[in-house]
Amino acid sequence: MAVPTVKRSLRRGVAVLLIPLSGATTLPDFVESALPGVSDAVGIVLFVAAVAYLVGSVGRQVAAAADTPL
């Protein structure tokens, strides 16, 4: 595997792990915040960032594959 492929796989793995983690941070059993609503905001930000990265990453890979000849 080339280095960019390994980096991309690692970043995608982290993004996939952030999706369930973002839901877990909104549960008070896991994170009890001193400021109400902070854990909800962190969960939403993590979820949106992970999904946006995955959509963008897959989109770039599909666009690159579309440019290669069969």
Side-chain angles (χ1 to χ4, degrees), residues 64-70:
D67 289 342
T68 56
L70 296 175

Side-chain angles (χ1 to χ4, degrees), residues 1 3 13-15 19 23-25 28 31 35 38-39 48 52 57 61-62 65 67 69:
M1 277 182 134
V3 174
V14 169
I19 291 175
T25 59
V31 176
L35 300 171
V38 170
S39 62
V48 169
S57 176
Q61 190 173 5
V62 167
D67 289 342

Side-chain angles (χ1 to χ4, degrees), residues 1-2 7 13 15 17 23-24 26 30 34 36 41 43-44 48 51 58-59 61 63-64 66-67 69-70:
M1 277 182 134
K7 286 183 180 180
L17 289 176
T26 61
F30 291 104
I44 290 169
V48 169
V51 170
V58 170
Q61 190 173 5
D67 289 342
L70 296 175

Side-chain angles (χ1 to χ4, degrees), residues 10-60:
L10 181 63
R11 288 183 193 134
R12 283 186 184 170
V14 169
V16 167
L17 289 176
L18 279 179
I19 291 175
L21 179 65
S22 65
T25 59
T26 61
L27 300 174
D29 294 339
F30 291 104
V31 176
E32 189 170 333
S33 176
L35 300 171
V38 170
S39 62
D40 290 336
V42 169
I44 290 169
V45 168
L46 285 175
F47 180 78
V48 169
V51 170
Y53 176 76
L54 288 173
V55 168
S57 176
V58 170
R60 283 189 302 273

